[in-house]
Amino acid sequence: MKSLKSLLIPFIVMLVLVGVAIGVVISNSKESGTSETEVASSEDVITVDPSLISTIEVVRQDGTGIGFRGAPDDTGSITWSLMDQYSSDVPLNNSGITSWVYVLSSFMSNNIIGDSSQLDLAEYGLDDPVYTIVITQYNGTVNRIFVGNKTADGGSCYFMVEGNPIVYTVVTAKYVYCGYQLIDFLESVTLGIDYASLSTVEFIRAMDDLDLVTSCTLYDTGDPMFTAVSPFSIECSPYFTSLIDKIVNLEITSFVDIPEDMLSDFGLDAPSYEFNFNMDDGRVVNITLSSDINGFFYGTSNVVDGYFKISDMQISGVDTQIMMLLNSYLVYYAAADMSKITGTYGDQSFTYEISTTGSISADDATANLNYRNAKVFTSEGRSFAAILYESLITISVSDIDLDANPTGDPVIEFTYITNNYETLTLSFVPRDNNSYYAFLNGEYTSFVVSSSELFNDGGQNTYIYGAWRAYELTEEAIDNAVAGVYDIPSEEAA
């Protein structure tokens, strides 16, 4: 008996292990959603060579659809056009259609569900297929592929082929591609703007009521230069140039079908941004954009039909502060372009005459302040002629005040005369104890300048002097120079 028990014990253990194993298999089968009739199978159920396809069409349950006709050339390349019933005068992305055709003309199963005669096809969405793919070959052969529901896990979908009773599953990409509409096959679009033919650009922004109009000219290099003409008169900064360049070179590749009653959901009932490009030939290119919605801007343009979306990776800078979109200098010229600068403040005045082909500190340059040579240097070689010129030519804007209507006489004024006899006069009317309204040729610029831009004493830091204080410093240097050298006294020495 003892020996019999010893034999029974391992046998019972073996039965238990087998039972556990069977339970695990059944459990895993239930968890994966696999039915009793489902069998893993990688089988090429149908493949039609795209070069043999005359037409391919996807018809939806509601009778709508999309279809293309192929036209091969002598090299074997195929150009696809819409079938007559879907004809539309829109540019098509041929490579996109080609990819679509390749996907929907070949079905490799990943599972066999079973014989359709023994299945409830409604359970799989195949009694009335979600999509029907109709492929017509040049030899007259017609293939029909029926696509049903997605599987429970969403990773596959059910399908059948006409003439074959078996129900299969295939990767869900087939289902997704069947759902493509005309909008998904439109050719990418660019705005077609050439800087050489661009006259003005208007940038409208809702969040701060900005309506900035700029003119466009070209540098000798062919790069654009933008100058604000309304509501300001000032050169634009590289930030503005960068923003406009992104819009000009924008490629629209993704279109979306948005019902009219959903425009507000996509920010298109009241766009956040608008760009108007006025070309020399009278053509106007318009583009409007929503704000950033989950990484995308939605938009419209008069050069494309319908609505599109672009990634926030394609465009940046639309929310850049207005002060950063503009050049901070009210007037700026290279020394080689300048002939004379005059200044008045109260009962004081000066005349600064310049002549140079390069740097104002160059050996062959002349810089005369009130008819005296201003080419005095510090011991470190810093030129007072340069200190004065830089301070006069880089008077910077500190704020914008569009609502102001300043009155009164200017207390300080500078006039700039170029080698081409262009004359610009900057005048400053007090705003408060620390700032001035800036006028250009008698017109209020809408800009405010800090008093430090005019009167700051930089001490031994010669790069932060205000314009008038720089004039006084240069006079001081000329008066006290020894052999053309003058060092600004330190505060300790003073």
Side-chain angles (χ1 to χ4, degrees):
M1 287 293 292
K2 187 176 182 179
S3 61
L4 179 59
K5 287 182 180 179
S6 64
L7 290 173
L8 283 173
I9 290 173
F11 179 71
I12 292 170
V13 171
M14 181 183 71
L15 288 177
V16 172
L17 292 174
V18 170
V20 171
I22 292 172
V24 170
V25 170
I26 293 173
S27 175
N28 287 343
S29 176
K30 289 180 179 179
E31 289 176 3
S32 64
T34 305
S35 68
E36 289 184 302
T37 57
E38 185 173 336
V39 179
S41 170
S42 179
E43 178 182 338
D44 185 2
V45 180
I46 182 171
T47 295
V48 180
D49 187 339
S51 67
L52 303 178
I53 296 175
S54 172
T55 63
I56 178 170
E57 180 183 13
V58 174
V59 181
R60 306 183 187 97
Q61 278 179 326
D62 62 3
T64 62
I66 190 73
F68 299 94
R69 185 181 307 280
D73 59 22
D74 295 338
T75 66
S77 298
I78 303 174
T79 300
W80 299 95
S81 59
L82 288 163
M83 295 172 65
D84 292 343
Q85 61 268 44
Y86 304 111
S87 181
S88 178
D89 185 21
V90 293
L92 298 176
N93 182 347
N94 196 69
S95 61
I97 299 171
T98 299
S99 298
W100 181 81
V101 171
Y102 270 91
V103 169
L104 296 185
S105 60
S106 177
F107 278 69
M108 177 76 72
S109 71
N110 51 27
N111 282 298
I112 296 176
I113 301 303
D115 192 316
S116 59
S117 64
Q118 301 175 21
L119 300 171
D120 180 4
L121 291 182
E123 182 181 341
Y124 305 97
L126 290 169
D127 60 327
D128 180 16
V130 180
Y131 301 106
T132 299
I133 304 170
V134 183
I135 300 174
T136 303
Q137 301 183 39
Y138 287 107
N139 63 8
T141 301
V142 177
N143 306 102
R144 287 183 174 85
I145 305 165
F146 308 109
V147 178
N149 299 331
K150 294 181 182 179
T151 57
D153 63 6
S156 300
C157 62
Y158 302 103
F159 79 98
M160 293 179 64
V161 175
E162 187 177 49
N164 183 341
I166 305 300
V167 176
Y168 302 90
T169 62
V170 68
V171 292
T172 196
K174 307 292 183 180
Y175 186 99
V176 173
Y177 271 62
C178 284
Y180 276 22
Q181 302 181 51
L182 178 59
I183 202 168
D184 297 301
F185 298 104
L186 298 183
E187 180 64 274
S188 62
V189 176
T190 58
L191 300 181
I193 297 172
D194 180 6
Y195 280 129
S197 303
L198 180 58
S199 175
T200 64
V201 178
E202 181 181 24
F203 174 39
I204 300 172
R205 185 167 61 194
M207 71 174 186
D208 55 0
D209 296 322
L210 175 65
D211 188 347
L212 180 64
V213 180
T214 68
S215 64
C216 178
T217 56
L218 298 183
Y219 290 106
D220 294 339
T221 59
D223 295 321
M225 177 177 67
F226 296 99
T227 302
V229 296
S230 175
F232 319 110
S233 180
I234 194 170
E235 287 186 7
C236 295
S237 75
Y239 290 102
F240 183 79
T241 302
S242 177
L243 169 61
I244 297 304
D245 196 59
K246 286 181 173 64
I247 299 296
V248 165
N249 293 294
L250 185 65
E251 185 174 6
I252 300 170
T253 60
S254 180
F255 296 85
V256 288
D257 186 13
I258 303 176
E260 290 297 313
D261 60 355
M262 293 183 64
L263 290 180
S264 60
D265 296 339
F266 294 87
L268 292 174
D269 58 331
S272 297
Y273 313 98
E274 181 175 354
F275 298 85
N276 294 301
F277 297 87
N278 295 281
M279 313 306 292
D280 289 337
D281 59 5
R283 185 168 59 99
V284 178
V285 177
N286 167 269
I287 181 170
T288 64
L289 296 172
S290 70
S291 56
D292 189 337
I293 301 175
N294 297 323
F296 290 97
F297 293 89
Y298 294 84
T300 63
S301 175
N302 62 342
V303 301
V304 298
D305 293 325
Y307 307 105
F308 60 84
K309 69 176 183 179
I310 56 176
S311 166
D312 58 7
M313 300 294 288
Q314 294 177 262
I315 180 174
S316 61
V318 289
D319 290 330
T320 301
Q321 293 180 357
I322 179 59
M323 288 298 298
M324 293 184 65
L325 293 176
L326 305 175
N327 192 325
S328 62
Y329 302 146
L330 287 166
V331 172
Y332 184 84
Y333 288 94
D337 297 325
M338 187 60 60
S339 171
K340 181 191 297 185
I341 303 174
T342 63
T344 59
Y345 175 45
D347 59 357
Q348 303 178 71
S349 65
F350 70 79
T351 298
Y352 190 31
E353 296 176 296
I354 301 162
S355 177
T356 181
T357 56
S359 167
I360 199 169
S361 303
D363 292 341
D364 59 349
T366 59
N368 294 320
L369 179 61
N370 292 332
Y371 309 106
R372 297 196 297 168
N373 183 12
K375 292 180 67 177
V376 177
F377 295 82
T378 67
S379 298
E380 289 75 27
R382 177 80 160 126
S383 166
F384 285 92
I387 295 170
L388 175 56
Y389 186 77
E390 291 164 9
S391 300
L392 289 168
I393 212 70
T394 60
I395 299 174
S396 297
V397 174
S398 62
D399 198 3
I400 295 172
D401 192 343
L402 291 171
D403 298 325
N405 184 26
T407 58
D409 296 327
V411 297
I412 186 168
E413 189 170 84
F414 302 103
T415 297
Y416 305 81
I417 303 173
T418 70
N419 291 328
N420 295 325
Y421 304 104
E422 180 182 3
T423 301
L424 297 172
T425 298
L426 276 182
S427 307
F428 300 93
V429 173
R431 182 196 195 200
D432 53 37
N433 291 334
N434 299 307
S435 62
Y436 294 81
Y437 295 112
F439 286 72
L440 181 63
N441 290 341
E443 297 289 333
Y444 175 47
T445 62
S446 299
F447 295 123
V448 174
V449 168
S450 168
S451 60
S452 63
E453 291 293 313
L454 305 175
F455 301 111
N456 188 59
D457 188 330
Q460 293 191 317
N461 185 346
T462 60
Y463 294 94
I464 60 172
Y465 270 80
W468 190 263
R469 182 65 189 95
Y471 154 65
E472 295 175 331
L473 175 68
T474 305
E475 285 275 83
E476 178 184 318
I478 296 172
D479 289 341
N480 297 283
V482 177
V485 175
Y486 174 73
D487 287 318
I488 302 170
S490 65
E491 292 184 6
E492 292 79 3

